[in-house]
Amino acid sequence: MAEEVDVVVIGLGPGGEDAAGRLAEAGLSVVAVESRLVGGECPYYACVPTKMMVRAAGLLAEGGRIPGMAGEASVRPDWAPVAARIRDEATGDWDDKAAADRLTGKGARLVRGHGRVTGPREVTVDGQVFQARRGIVLNTGTSPAAPPVDGLAGTPYWTNREAVQATEPPASLLVLGGGVVGVEMAQVFSRFGSRVTIVEHGDRLLANEEPESSALLRDVFEREGIGVRTGVAATGVAYENGEFTLRLGDEAVVGDRLLVATGRRSNLKGLGLDAVGLDENARGVSVDGHMRAAEGVWAIGDITGMGAFTHVSMYQAAIAVRDILGEEGPPAVYRAVPRVTFTDPEIGSVGLTEAQAREQNLPVRTSVSPIPGSTRGWIHKTGNDGLIKLVENTEWGTLVGATAAGPSGGEVLGFLAVAVHTETPTASLREMIYAYPTFHRAIEPALTALAEKTSGA
């Protein structure tokens, strides 16, 4: 016999947890289903603990910049307080009791287990059947994906999950993949004494960002002693006597640990989506502007393919909740999705890159302003690597994309995200007063350079 409830939420990552809590607080009977940890990847294996690692690594770098600027200093890395902080402050030793209590305290019912859609508005969890009067919210997220490299399967390689749980840095680390996870972890472990080599099949690091950002980061990495190999494919992996050998064609690199950071796959297998007319073999779940995926089904988060970010999942959760409750509200708009790579320099981006804009046949012109050329960059001196890049639609006279790379690049990005989201004319941006001397003031010469260019330049 099926138990009737109002809504079943499958998957309690940030968006799913938020949606379940909001719906319960609105007075609906909500069953929230999770087979792993309430809160999802972000608080236990991604956003929060990795930024603790980045913060600690940044402190080491700043300490090393004291000589010649403010006196003398020597820095000795110690991973123990980092591991302790992740275990005790961030993850509760990978226990989700606090998150579960927070959710149930809002009135939602937590059901542990694997949820499967078994019919229209019907979910089965380990034999328990729930009939959802209003519908089902899917937020099953993604998992690390390993490439089909010969010999990799069965070796004790790391993903982001194992890297976060490390109790000590390895003497040497191979990083397969030059995306966000790969570059962040490469720099963290390098600064804690690991000998790091990062291998990327594509021709540059951070392939989804501007090439200027990729070149900037590569230059910094090489100065810091991180080996960067781009444009090479891993053809095989061997693990013997506690050491990994990563074959790159006729060459090979070795390390004590191998971090595989080559992407993620949507958790759709075994979800029973065919019961509601959806394809669980697809890369993701298509949704409309109100997060509707099918009749009585909403989908949010990474599986929608609109950005694997906590802030996107939370944004979508609010929209789905409004729709389920029958409340008015604007549909989702993604023209100004911000993203930040927490390396040093920090790389913040919003909207379209130049390449993406041109692929859409938009009439664009761009400009780049170097952070070291700004007054604040000059004052900052050591550790001042960075740039501002603007992408303007010349027909509309507005920014469609921007990058803020450098010290506090993610914070400088806030200004640019507002400009892209609100479609503020670049002429108006040039008329603003920019505080002196700040990093964000480097936006001003980039705007000036845009005005000096001819259309299509």
Side-chain angles (χ1 to χ4, degrees):
M1 179 72 69
E3 179 182 345
E4 286 199 359
V5 297
D6 289 319
V7 178
V8 177
V9 179
I10 305 178
L12 301 179
E17 180 189 347
D18 185 58
R22 285 173 181 251
L23 291 167
E25 288 180 320
L28 300 189
S29 58
V30 178
V31 166
V33 183
E34 179 54 64
S35 62
R36 294 174 63 89
L37 296 173
V38 176
E41 195 86 353
C42 180
Y44 304 102
Y45 303 108
C47 326
V48 176
T50 61
K51 300 318 164 276
M52 287 182 170
M53 295 162 71
V54 167
R55 167 63 173 156
L59 288 171
L60 292 175
E62 282 296 283
R65 290 165 179 159
I66 290 174
M69 290 283 288
E72 297 299 327
S74 61
V75 177
R76 182 181 60 84
D78 182 2
W79 187 256
V82 183
R85 189 179 183 210
I86 291 171
R87 183 187 65 243
D88 300 335
E89 296 180 33
T91 68
D93 201 11
W94 290 273
D95 185 293
D96 66 353
K97 183 180 185 307
D101 289 347
R102 179 175 62 236
L103 177 63
T104 56
K106 294 178 179 179
R109 174 182 167 190
L110 175 60
V111 175
R112 304 277 188 176
H114 178 74
R116 179 178 173 83
V117 180
T118 49
R121 292 184 168 84
E122 182 182 275
V123 174
T124 300
V125 186
D126 299 334
Q128 293 179 276
V129 181
F130 299 97
Q131 195 70 41
R133 288 182 288 261
R134 299 210 184 185
I136 302 164
V137 178
L138 304 175
N139 179 54
T140 50
T142 57
S143 296
V149 177
D150 183 48
L152 177 62
T155 66
Y157 65 85
W158 281 358
T159 67
N160 64 296
R161 293 173 180 171
E162 289 76 24
V164 161
Q165 296 177 80
T167 55
E168 60 182 6
S172 56
L173 174 69
L174 305 177
V175 179
L176 185 58
V180 174
V181 173
V183 295
E184 288 184 356
M185 293 298 95
Q187 191 174 51
V188 164
F189 283 106
S190 174
R191 288 179 168 181
F192 272 90
S194 301
R195 186 177 70 256
V196 178
T197 301
I198 185 167
V199 176
E200 166 57 40
H201 180 266
D203 61 0
R204 58 188 177 92
L205 302 175
L206 297 179
N208 294 326
E209 299 297 341
E210 297 284 9
E212 292 89 346
S213 297
S214 301
L216 177 75
L217 195 59
R218 179 171 190 144
D219 181 56
V220 169
F221 274 15
E222 290 180 340
R223 278 191 272 128
E224 292 188 1
I226 299 172
V228 179
R229 303 291 302 275
T230 56
V232 292
T235 57
V237 173
Y239 181 72
E240 189 175 6
N241 299 322
E243 184 177 75
F244 284 91
T245 299
L246 184 63
R247 293 192 297 275
L248 309 174
D250 295 332
E251 303 177 74
V253 289
V254 297
D256 295 321
R257 292 289 182 182
L258 170 63
L259 169 62
V260 176
T262 52
R264 302 180 68 83
R265 65 176 182 276
S266 295
N267 295 326
L268 299 180
K269 293 286 188 182
L271 195 51
L273 295 184
D274 57 332
V276 288
L278 299 175
D279 182 8
E280 68 178 32
N281 294 311
R283 292 174 62 89
V285 178
S286 296
V287 295
D288 66 12
H290 297 281
M291 304 300 112
R292 303 167 190 149
E295 181 66 29
V297 180
W298 291 260
I300 61 175
D302 296 5
I303 60 173
T304 66
M306 303 310 296
F309 309 113
T310 292
H311 46 277
V312 171
S313 184
M314 298 286 282
Y315 171 75
Q316 292 177 326
I319 293 172
V321 166
R322 284 199 305 265
D323 199 51
I324 293 168
L325 296 177
E327 299 175 352
E328 294 295 323
V333 176
Y334 300 104
R335 66 172 169 270
V337 175
R339 56 194 183 274
V340 182
T341 301
F342 291 88
T343 46
D344 177 12
E346 205 168 86
I347 299 173
S349 306
V350 64
L352 303 176
T353 63
E354 177 182 359
Q356 290 168 340
R358 294 192 186 281
E359 286 170 5
Q360 295 184 20
N361 294 316
L362 297 180
V364 300
R365 59 186 169 201
T366 66
S367 65
V368 177
S369 173
I371 294 297
S374 69
T375 302
R376 179 60 181 275
W378 175 77
I379 292 170
H380 201 73
K381 196 174 180 178
T382 181
N384 66 352
D385 301 273
L387 58 89
I388 300 291
K389 180 172 182 178
L390 306 179
V391 182
E392 180 190 36
N393 183 313
T394 57
E395 182 180 337
W396 302 339
T398 60
L399 297 181
V400 294
T403 293
S408 302
E411 308 306 322
V412 175
L413 180 69
F415 173 96
L416 296 167
V418 171
V420 174
H421 180 76
T422 59
E423 300 178 309
T424 303
T426 50
S428 296
L429 298 177
R430 279 191 291 273
E431 294 167 0
M432 289 180 57
I433 301 173
Y434 295 80
Y436 178 92
T438 59
F439 286 119
H440 81 255
R441 190 174 170 88
I443 296 169
E444 190 174 38
L447 287 165
T448 301
L450 276 182
E452 293 172 349
K453 290 192 172 187
T454 57
S455 179

